[in-house]
Amino acid sequence: MMNLKDLLGLLLPLLWLAACTSDSEAPLPPEPEAAVALPFTTVSLSDFSGFQSGPENWVVAGGAYADRAQKLMMQPLEGEGVLVNTAPPRSGEHLFTAFEHGDIELELEVMTAKNSNSGIYLQGRYEVQVFDSWGVEDPQHSDMGGIYQRWDDDAPKGERGYEGHPPSMNAAKAPGLWQQVRVLFHAPRFDAEGNKVANALFKEVWLNGIKVHENVELTGPTRAAPFTDEAPTGLIMLQGDHGPVAYRNIRYKRYDNPPVEVRNLTVAQYRTKSEEIPAFDTMEVQSNTPVDSISFHQAGTHMRFALIYDGVLVVPETGDYLFTAYANRAAIRFVVGKDTLFDRSNAYSIDAKAKAVTKLSAGTVPFQLIFHKPTNSWYRGFGLEVEGPGIEQHALTTPASPKQGPEPEPIVIEPEPEAILQRCFMLHEGKKRTHIVAVATPQGLHYAYDLEQGTLLKAWSGGFLDATDMWHERGEAQLGQPLGMTIDFHSDPELYPLPDENTAWPDSLTTDQTYRQGGYELDPEGHPTFLYQTGGASVKVQCRPAAGERRLTRSFTIDKGDGFWLKLGDGNTIEQLPDGTYAVNNHQYLIDLGGREAVLRQTAGQTELLLALDSGAQTIQYDIIW
C-alpha cells in the first residue's frame, strides 16, 4: 500500500503544475546590450614574451591533463595557449610578468594537479592561494582562493602566522578541471614623501563565479613573497616551486587614471503622468536648482515625477567609455554631447542594466540625464556608472540612489539531516524556468530539476537556496537563488528517440512525444525519484550525492530503450580524457560513464555528448564531477 508521503510526492507536483499561469511563464525583460564591455589586455601564451623569462620548469602547451587519482601528476598537451609548470614541490622557478601594475582587474583560469599548490601574487607581494582543495569542508587561508597569511619569525611559536583570510566558502573544483579566478586589487597608496597612507586592498576575489573575498586589507606582503617591501606598482608572479599547475586565458585591465567627475550640475523637476518621456518644454517646471550629486532621493516623497539633470563630465583621457544605466520601472534617457546613449522605457527592473560605449576626448563634455517615473508604484531607485581607459568602473550617482530601501534580511533555506525539496522558479540561460524542483541533500550537494523538460538544469555545493525573491513582501521575481558554486547543464530534454545519431536533438518536448509527468517518489532519506512517460516508455530518474567528493551519481531506469538516446552534455568543447572520463565545456565538469563509450558530435557550433540506449529494459548510471 502507498503511504501518505509517497502519495503527496505524486500529487503535489501535478497540482503545482496545474496552478502555473501563462503570466508566470513569461520571460523576464532581457538585459539590453548585456554583452557590451571594454576589452581586457590579453597576455600572449604562445611564448614567454609576456613574461620576464621562461624558466625551464615552465612550458608552453595546448592544454593539460591531470589524473585525479595520481598525486602531482600533470601532463602538458601539444599546442599553445597554456602555461604548464612541470616541476615537483620544492623545486622550480616562478614566472614574473613583463609589465608592472598598481590597481588592476585580473582574470585567469588555473588547473591544479592532485595535491598540488601554487599562488597568484599581486605586485609579487600579496598572494591569492592556488591549491587542490577539492572536498575540503572547512577551508583555511591556505586553501584555494584564500588570501595567504603574513608571517613573523620573531613572534612566539604558534603566533607567527597572521592576517590570513580563508575564502567565504570552498568553491574549488576537482583537480584536472579549469577554475576561473577574478581579482580586483587596489595597490597601497603613498604620499609625496613615500609614506604609506593606505594599505593594499583585495576589493574583490571571485572563484568559479563565487565572491570569496570583499574589501580585505593587508598591512604588508604575505608569506613567501619574493619582495618584502611595499610599492605603488609591481609584477604579477605565478608561483612555480610548489608543484605542477597550469594557467591559461590570462587577461587584465590596469586602472591608472583618476575617475570621471560630474560638475556644474543642476536638476529640474516636473510632475508627469505620461507613460512616455514627454516634451518638457511644454510643461511647467516645479523646481530647477544647482545640486552636487545625482540621486533618486532628490525627488523627495513625490510620485509621478521626472528629474532632468544637466551638467558636464570631466574626462581624464581620450578613449572609449562604457556607461551603464539602470532604473526600477522608470524610463531613462542619457545624452552625452550630441549622442543619445540610452532611451529606455519603464518596462525594466533595476537588475536589467543597459550598456553603451562611446568615444570621448579628454576635457569636458556636456550631458543630460532624464529619469522619468510616471506611476505611483513603490518601485524606487536608479543608477549610472562609467568605466574608461585606465579607469575602474564607478558610480556617477550617489551610493543611496539605486537602493529601494533597507536591504531585506535574507530568507535562506538551509540543508537538513534528510533531503528536502523546494518548488520555485529559477533563471537558466536567461529564461525564467517555472517548473523547478530544487533538492537539498545533507551532503551539501544540491541540484535543480526541470519537471517541464525532464532534465537536470543545475548542481551546486555549499548552502542551499536564497528564497528572498520568493517570500519577501510580494515576492515579485519568484526566483530561487542557489547558494554555492554552480554548474549549469543543458536545458534540452535528456531522453529522446532519434532515428540515428545524425538527427538534430530537440530543444523541447513535442506533443507527439506524449510526455507526461508522474511526480516523484521519496526514499527513506527524502531523496526523490522523478517519474515520467515519454514516447511510450516509462522512466525513473535519480540523483544521489557522493560522500566527501563533489560528485552526483545519476541513474535512468527505462522499461524499453529501443531507439532512445540520452543527452549527457553539450558545450564549446567536449573531450575524452586518458582515464575515460569526458571533460565538458572547456573542462568545466567531468562525466564518468564507468567505461562506457558515448558519441561525440558537432552541431550548431557546439559539441554534444550522446549515449545510445540498448533495446529493452535497462538502467543507465553515470557520475557528474566538478
PDB file of all heavy atoms in Angstrom, residues 208-237:
ATOM      1  N   ASN A 208      35.407  30.718  -9.443  1.00  0.00           N
ATOM      2  CA  ASN A 208      34.357  29.919 -10.089  1.00  0.00           C
ATOM      3  C   ASN A 208      32.969  30.525  -9.896  1.00  0.00           C
ATOM      4  O   ASN A 208      31.987  29.833  -9.592  1.00  0.00           O
ATOM      5  CB  ASN A 208      34.396  28.477  -9.571  1.00  0.00           C
ATOM      6  CG  ASN A 208      35.684  27.777  -9.928  1.00  0.00           C
ATOM      7  OD1 ASN A 208      36.221  27.948 -11.016  1.00  0.00           O
ATOM      8  ND2 ASN A 208      36.218  26.992  -9.006  1.00  0.00           N
ATOM      9  N   GLY A 209      32.902  31.852 -10.064  1.00  0.00           N
ATOM     10  CA  GLY A 209      31.621  32.559 -10.005  1.00  0.00           C
ATOM     11  C   GLY A 209      31.152  32.918  -8.615  1.00  0.00           C
ATOM     12  O   GLY A 209      30.079  33.510  -8.467  1.00  0.00           O
ATOM     13  N   ILE A 210      31.929  32.609  -7.574  1.00  0.00           N
ATOM     14  CA  ILE A 210      31.563  32.923  -6.202  1.00  0.00           C
ATOM     15  C   ILE A 210      32.501  34.001  -5.674  1.00  0.00           C
ATOM     16  O   ILE A 210      33.729  33.872  -5.774  1.00  0.00           O
ATOM     17  CB  ILE A 210      31.658  31.677  -5.295  1.00  0.00           C
ATOM     18  CG1 ILE A 210      30.661  30.615  -5.768  1.00  0.00           C
ATOM     19  CG2 ILE A 210      31.403  32.034  -3.839  1.00  0.00           C
ATOM     20  CD1 ILE A 210      29.217  31.004  -5.646  1.00  0.00           C
ATOM     21  N   LYS A 211      31.918  35.065  -5.098  1.00  0.00           N
ATOM     22  CA  LYS A 211      32.749  36.091  -4.464  1.00  0.00           C
ATOM     23  C   LYS A 211      33.218  35.542  -3.121  1.00  0.00           C
ATOM     24  O   LYS A 211      32.441  35.410  -2.176  1.00  0.00           O
ATOM     25  CB  LYS A 211      31.967  37.387  -4.269  1.00  0.00           C
ATOM     26  CG  LYS A 211      32.841  38.557  -3.759  1.00  0.00           C
ATOM     27  CD  LYS A 211      31.994  39.732  -3.312  1.00  0.00           C
ATOM     28  CE  LYS A 211      31.287  40.399  -4.481  1.00  0.00           C
ATOM     29  NZ  LYS A 211      30.554  41.618  -4.044  1.00  0.00           N
ATOM     30  N   VAL A 212      34.524  35.238  -3.034  1.00  0.00           N
ATOM     31  CA  VAL A 212      35.057  34.608  -1.826  1.00  0.00           C
ATOM     32  C   VAL A 212      35.737  35.617  -0.904  1.00  0.00           C
ATOM     33  O   VAL A 212      36.041  35.290   0.249  1.00  0.00           O
ATOM     34  CB  VAL A 212      36.028  33.461  -2.179  1.00  0.00           C
ATOM     35  CG1 VAL A 212      35.275  32.322  -2.840  1.00  0.00           C
ATOM     36  CG2 VAL A 212      37.171  33.943  -3.069  1.00  0.00           C
ATOM     37  N   HIS A 213      36.004  36.853  -1.390  1.00  0.00           N
ATOM     38  CA  HIS A 213      36.560  37.917  -0.551  1.00  0.00           C
ATOM     39  C   HIS A 213      36.005  39.257  -1.012  1.00  0.00           C
ATOM     40  O   HIS A 213      35.759  39.466  -2.205  1.00  0.00           O
ATOM     41  CB  HIS A 213      38.086  37.981  -0.641  1.00  0.00           C
ATOM     42  CG  HIS A 213      38.792  36.766  -0.136  1.00  0.00           C
ATOM     43  ND1 HIS A 213      38.885  36.445   1.194  1.00  0.00           N
ATOM     44  CD2 HIS A 213      39.455  35.783  -0.800  1.00  0.00           C
ATOM     45  CE1 HIS A 213      39.566  35.324   1.332  1.00  0.00           C
ATOM     46  NE2 HIS A 213      39.913  34.898   0.137  1.00  0.00           N
ATOM     47  N   GLU A 214      35.859  40.176  -0.065  1.00  0.00           N
ATOM     48  CA  GLU A 214      35.451  41.539  -0.390  1.00  0.00           C
ATOM     49  C   GLU A 214      36.089  42.491   0.616  1.00  0.00           C
ATOM     50  O   GLU A 214      35.991  42.291   1.829  1.00  0.00           O
ATOM     51  CB  GLU A 214      33.929  41.667  -0.360  1.00  0.00           C
ATOM     52  CG  GLU A 214      33.430  43.032  -0.823  1.00  0.00           C
ATOM     53  CD  GLU A 214      31.920  43.077  -0.980  1.00  0.00           C
ATOM     54  OE1 GLU A 214      31.227  42.225  -0.390  1.00  0.00           O
ATOM     55  OE2 GLU A 214      31.418  43.970  -1.696  1.00  0.00           O
ATOM     56  N   ASN A 215      36.784  43.495   0.074  1.00  0.00           N
ATOM     57  CA  ASN A 215      37.385  44.568   0.893  1.00  0.00           C
ATOM     58  C   ASN A 215      38.287  44.011   2.004  1.00  0.00           C
ATOM     59  O   ASN A 215      38.114  44.308   3.188  1.00  0.00           O
ATOM     60  CB  ASN A 215      36.300  45.464   1.481  1.00  0.00           C
ATOM     61  CG  ASN A 215      35.558  46.251   0.413  1.00  0.00           C
ATOM     62  OD1 ASN A 215      36.141  46.635  -0.598  1.00  0.00           O
ATOM     63  ND2 ASN A 215      34.284  46.491   0.635  1.00  0.00           N
ATOM     64  N   VAL A 216      39.264  43.203   1.611  1.00  0.00           N
ATOM     65  CA  VAL A 216      40.238  42.643   2.548  1.00  0.00           C
ATOM     66  C   VAL A 216      41.525  43.470   2.459  1.00  0.00           C
ATOM     67  O   VAL A 216      42.172  43.511   1.405  1.00  0.00           O
ATOM     68  CB  VAL A 216      40.533  41.166   2.241  1.00  0.00           C
ATOM     69  CG1 VAL A 216      41.653  40.648   3.157  1.00  0.00           C
ATOM     70  CG2 VAL A 216      39.269  40.324   2.425  1.00  0.00           C
ATOM     71  N   GLU A 217      41.885  44.124   3.555  1.00  0.00           N
ATOM     72  CA  GLU A 217      43.123  44.911   3.613  1.00  0.00           C
ATOM     73  C   GLU A 217      44.267  44.047   4.117  1.00  0.00           C
ATOM     74  O   GLU A 217      44.092  43.179   4.969  1.00  0.00           O
ATOM     75  CB  GLU A 217      42.958  46.105   4.563  1.00  0.00           C
ATOM     76  CG  GLU A 217      42.186  47.260   4.001  1.00  0.00           C
ATOM     77  CD  GLU A 217      42.329  48.521   4.835  1.00  0.00           C
ATOM     78  OE1 GLU A 217      43.450  48.777   5.334  1.00  0.00           O
ATOM     79  OE2 GLU A 217      41.331  49.231   4.987  1.00  0.00           O
ATOM     80  N   LEU A 218      45.471  44.321   3.582  1.00  0.00           N
ATOM     81  CA  LEU A 218      46.682  43.673   4.061  1.00  0.00           C
ATOM     82  C   LEU A 218      47.690  44.750   4.448  1.00  0.00           C
ATOM     83  O   LEU A 218      47.928  45.689   3.683  1.00  0.00           O
ATOM     84  CB  LEU A 218      47.277  42.768   2.993  1.00  0.00           C
ATOM     85  CG  LEU A 218      46.476  41.507   2.651  1.00  0.00           C
ATOM     86  CD1 LEU A 218      47.153  40.738   1.533  1.00  0.00           C
ATOM     87  CD2 LEU A 218      46.312  40.620   3.871  1.00  0.00           C
ATOM     88  N   THR A 219      48.280  44.597   5.624  1.00  0.00           N
ATOM     89  CA  THR A 219      49.237  45.610   6.105  1.00  0.00           C
ATOM     90  C   THR A 219      50.620  45.418   5.521  1.00  0.00           C
ATOM     91  O   THR A 219      51.505  46.259   5.734  1.00  0.00           O
ATOM     92  CB  THR A 219      49.324  45.565   7.639  1.00  0.00           C
ATOM     93  OG1 THR A 219      49.741  44.256   8.046  1.00  0.00           O
ATOM     94  CG2 THR A 219      47.972  45.890   8.263  1.00  0.00           C
ATOM     95  N   GLY A 220      50.837  44.333   4.793  1.00  0.00           N
ATOM     96  CA  GLY A 220      52.134  44.097   4.173  1.00  0.00           C
ATOM     97  C   GLY A 220      52.100  42.829   3.346  1.00  0.00           C
ATOM     98  O   GLY A 220      51.060  42.150   3.243  1.00  0.00           O
ATOM     99  N   PRO A 221      53.242  42.452   2.736  1.00  0.00           N
ATOM    100  CA  PRO A 221      53.300  41.262   1.880  1.00  0.00           C
ATOM    101  C   PRO A 221      52.984  39.978   2.643  1.00  0.00           C
ATOM    102  O   PRO A 221      53.250  39.848   3.844  1.00  0.00           O
ATOM    103  CB  PRO A 221      54.746  41.258   1.375  1.00  0.00           C
ATOM    104  CG  PRO A 221      55.169  42.685   1.441  1.00  0.00           C
ATOM    105  CD  PRO A 221      54.492  43.241   2.662  1.00  0.00           C
ATOM    106  N   THR A 222      52.405  39.009   1.946  1.00  0.00           N
ATOM    107  CA  THR A 222      52.094  37.711   2.533  1.00  0.00           C
ATOM    108  C   THR A 222      53.337  36.834   2.560  1.00  0.00           C
ATOM    109  O   THR A 222      54.362  37.146   1.949  1.00  0.00           O
ATOM    110  CB  THR A 222      50.969  37.020   1.744  1.00  0.00           C
ATOM    111  OG1 THR A 222      51.359  36.924   0.362  1.00  0.00           O
ATOM    112  CG2 THR A 222      49.687  37.822   1.830  1.00  0.00           C
ATOM    113  N   ARG A 223      53.260  35.735   3.290  1.00  0.00           N
ATOM    114  CA  ARG A 223      54.410  34.851   3.465  1.00  0.00           C
ATOM    115  C   ARG A 223      54.895  34.301   2.130  1.00  0.00           C
ATOM    116  O   ARG A 223      54.110  34.003   1.238  1.00  0.00           O
ATOM    117  CB  ARG A 223      54.041  33.692   4.388  1.00  0.00           C
ATOM    118  CG  ARG A 223      55.239  32.853   4.801  1.00  0.00           C
ATOM    119  CD  ARG A 223      54.846  31.696   5.692  1.00  0.00           C
ATOM    120  NE  ARG A 223      56.023  31.012   6.193  1.00  0.00           N
ATOM    121  CZ  ARG A 223      56.001  29.893   6.895  1.00  0.00           C
ATOM    122  NH1 ARG A 223      54.829  29.321   7.186  1.00  0.00           N
ATOM    123  NH2 ARG A 223      57.120  29.328   7.316  1.00  0.00           N
ATOM    124  N   ALA A 224      56.206  34.153   2.008  1.00  0.00           N
ATOM    125  CA  ALA A 224      56.893  33.592   0.833  1.00  0.00           C
ATOM    126  C   ALA A 224      56.885  34.531  -0.365  1.00  0.00           C
ATOM    127  O   ALA A 224      57.305  34.133  -1.461  1.00  0.00           O
ATOM    128  CB  ALA A 224      56.308  32.238   0.441  1.00  0.00           C
ATOM    129  N   ALA A 225      56.445  35.782  -0.195  1.00  0.00           N
ATOM    130  CA  ALA A 225      56.531  36.746  -1.296  1.00  0.00           C
ATOM    131  C   ALA A 225      58.003  37.048  -1.596  1.00  0.00           C
ATOM    132  O   ALA A 225      58.820  37.164  -0.677  1.00  0.00           O
ATOM    133  CB  ALA A 225      55.795  38.027  -0.936  1.00  0.00           C
ATOM    134  N   PRO A 226      58.368  37.186  -2.867  1.00  0.00           N
ATOM    135  CA  PRO A 226      59.771  37.476  -3.192  1.00  0.00           C
ATOM    136  C   PRO A 226      60.194  38.896  -2.832  1.00  0.00           C
ATOM    137  O   PRO A 226      61.378  39.181  -2.767  1.00  0.00           O
ATOM    138  CB  PRO A 226      59.830  37.253  -4.701  1.00  0.00           C
ATOM    139  CG  PRO A 226      58.439  37.468  -5.177  1.00  0.00           C
ATOM    140  CD  PRO A 226      57.556  36.986  -4.066  1.00  0.00           C
ATOM    141  N   PHE A 227      59.222  39.791  -2.609  1.00  0.00           N
ATOM    142  CA  PHE A 227      59.529  41.167  -2.214  1.00  0.00           C
ATOM    143  C   PHE A 227      58.898  41.414  -0.839  1.00  0.00           C
ATOM    144  O   PHE A 227      57.723  41.129  -0.623  1.00  0.00           O
ATOM    145  CB  PHE A 227      58.975  42.166  -3.226  1.00  0.00           C
ATOM    146  CG  PHE A 227      59.414  41.889  -4.644  1.00  0.00           C
ATOM    147  CD1 PHE A 227      58.529  41.311  -5.553  1.00  0.00           C
ATOM    148  CD2 PHE A 227      60.693  42.207  -5.066  1.00  0.00           C
ATOM    149  CE1 PHE A 227      58.918  41.054  -6.853  1.00  0.00           C
ATOM    150  CE2 PHE A 227      61.090  41.941  -6.363  1.00  0.00           C
ATOM    151  CZ  PHE A 227      60.211  41.373  -7.260  1.00  0.00           C
ATOM    152  N   THR A 228      59.674  41.945   0.086  1.00  0.00           N
ATOM    153  CA  THR A 228      59.169  42.177   1.432  1.00  0.00           C
ATOM    154  C   THR A 228      58.814  43.633   1.695  1.00  0.00           C
ATOM    155  O   THR A 228      58.257  43.960   2.744  1.00  0.00           O
ATOM    156  CB  THR A 228      60.209  41.719   2.464  1.00  0.00           C
ATOM    157  OG1 THR A 228      61.438  42.424   2.238  1.00  0.00           O
ATOM    158  CG2 THR A 228      60.452  40.223   2.348  1.00  0.00           C
ATOM    159  N   ASP A 229      59.167  44.529   0.742  1.00  0.00           N
ATOM    160  CA  ASP A 229      58.783  45.931   0.879  1.00  0.00           C
ATOM    161  C   ASP A 229      57.416  46.138   0.229  1.00  0.00           C
ATOM    162  O   ASP A 229      56.803  45.192  -0.265  1.00  0.00           O
ATOM    163  CB  ASP A 229      59.834  46.841   0.235  1.00  0.00           C
ATOM    164  CG  ASP A 229      59.924  46.613  -1.271  1.00  0.00           C
ATOM    165  OD1 ASP A 229      59.491  45.535  -1.752  1.00  0.00           O
ATOM    166  OD2 ASP A 229      60.418  47.507  -1.982  1.00  0.00           O
ATOM    167  N   GLU A 230      56.919  47.381   0.236  1.00  0.00           N
ATOM    168  CA  GLU A 230      55.689  47.716  -0.478  1.00  0.00           C
ATOM    169  C   GLU A 230      55.969  48.871  -1.420  1.00  0.00           C
ATOM    170  O   GLU A 230      56.850  49.700  -1.180  1.00  0.00           O
ATOM    171  CB  GLU A 230      54.574  48.070   0.506  1.00  0.00           C
ATOM    172  CG  GLU A 230      54.138  46.879   1.344  1.00  0.00           C
ATOM    173  CD  GLU A 230      52.888  47.159   2.139  1.00  0.00           C
ATOM    174  OE1 GLU A 230      53.004  47.785   3.216  1.00  0.00           O
ATOM    175  OE2 GLU A 230      51.795  46.768   1.700  1.00  0.00           O
ATOM    176  N   ALA A 231      55.219  48.922  -2.527  1.00  0.00           N
ATOM    177  CA  ALA A 231      55.482  49.904  -3.576  1.00  0.00           C
ATOM    178  C   ALA A 231      54.181  50.216  -4.307  1.00  0.00           C
ATOM    179  O   ALA A 231      53.217  49.442  -4.238  1.00  0.00           O
ATOM    180  CB  ALA A 231      56.537  49.370  -4.552  1.00  0.00           C
ATOM    181  N   PRO A 232      54.146  51.334  -5.047  1.00  0.00           N
ATOM    182  CA  PRO A 232      52.928  51.667  -5.806  1.00  0.00           C
ATOM    183  C   PRO A 232      52.639  50.683  -6.931  1.00  0.00           C
ATOM    184  O   PRO A 232      51.474  50.481  -7.298  1.00  0.00           O
ATOM    185  CB  PRO A 232      53.220  53.063  -6.350  1.00  0.00           C
ATOM    186  CG  PRO A 232      54.323  53.605  -5.502  1.00  0.00           C
ATOM    187  CD  PRO A 232      55.134  52.424  -5.088  1.00  0.00           C
ATOM    188  N   THR A 233      53.688  50.079  -7.504  1.00  0.00           N
ATOM    189  CA  THR A 233      53.500  49.135  -8.604  1.00  0.00           C
ATOM    190  C   THR A 233      54.390  47.917  -8.387  1.00  0.00           C
ATOM    191  O   THR A 233      55.342  47.946  -7.600  1.00  0.00           O
ATOM    192  CB  THR A 233      53.834  49.765  -9.970  1.00  0.00           C
ATOM    193  OG1 THR A 233      55.219  50.141  -9.992  1.00  0.00           O
ATOM    194  CG2 THR A 233      52.975  50.985 -10.243  1.00  0.00           C
ATOM    195  N   GLY A 234      54.096  46.853  -9.103  1.00  0.00           N
ATOM    196  CA  GLY A 234      54.893  45.637  -9.018  1.00  0.00           C
ATOM    197  C   GLY A 234      54.459  44.645 -10.071  1.00  0.00           C
ATOM    198  O   GLY A 234      53.498  44.867 -10.818  1.00  0.00           O
ATOM    199  N   LEU A 235      55.162  43.516 -10.138  1.00  0.00           N
ATOM    200  CA  LEU A 235      54.926  42.472 -11.122  1.00  0.00           C
ATOM    201  C   LEU A 235      53.946  41.436 -10.580  1.00  0.00           C
ATOM    202  O   LEU A 235      53.902  41.183  -9.375  1.00  0.00           O
ATOM    203  CB  LEU A 235      56.242  41.772 -11.471  1.00  0.00           C
ATOM    204  CG  LEU A 235      57.423  42.663 -11.872  1.00  0.00           C
ATOM    205  CD1 LEU A 235      58.701  41.846 -11.868  1.00  0.00           C
ATOM    206  CD2 LEU A 235      57.171  43.265 -13.248  1.00  0.00           C
ATOM    207  N   ILE A 236      53.195  40.802 -11.473  1.00  0.00           N
ATOM    208  CA  ILE A 236      52.419  39.629 -11.093  1.00  0.00           C
ATOM    209  C   ILE A 236      53.345  38.416 -11.119  1.00  0.00           C
ATOM    210  O   ILE A 236      54.117  38.236 -12.063  1.00  0.00           O
ATOM    211  CB  ILE A 236      51.234  39.407 -12.038  1.00  0.00           C
ATOM    212  CG1 ILE A 236      50.220  40.545 -11.898  1.00  0.00           C
ATOM    213  CG2 ILE A 236      50.546  38.070 -11.757  1.00  0.00           C
ATOM    214  CD1 ILE A 236      49.109  40.497 -12.908  1.00  0.00           C
ATOM    215  N   MET A 237      53.290  37.601 -10.071  1.00  0.00           N
ATOM    216  CA  MET A 237      54.091  36.382 -10.020  1.00  0.00           C
ATOM    217  C   MET A 237      53.183  35.168  -9.959  1.00  0.00           C
ATOM    218  O   MET A 237      52.218  35.132  -9.185  1.00  0.00           O
ATOM    219  CB  MET A 237      55.007  36.387  -8.792  1.00  0.00           C
ATOM    220  CG  MET A 237      55.985  35.210  -8.754  1.00  0.00           C
ATOM    221  SD  MET A 237      56.834  35.047  -7.170  1.00  0.00           S
ATOM    222  CE  MET A 237      55.712  33.927  -6.302  1.00  0.00           C
TER     223      MET A 237
END
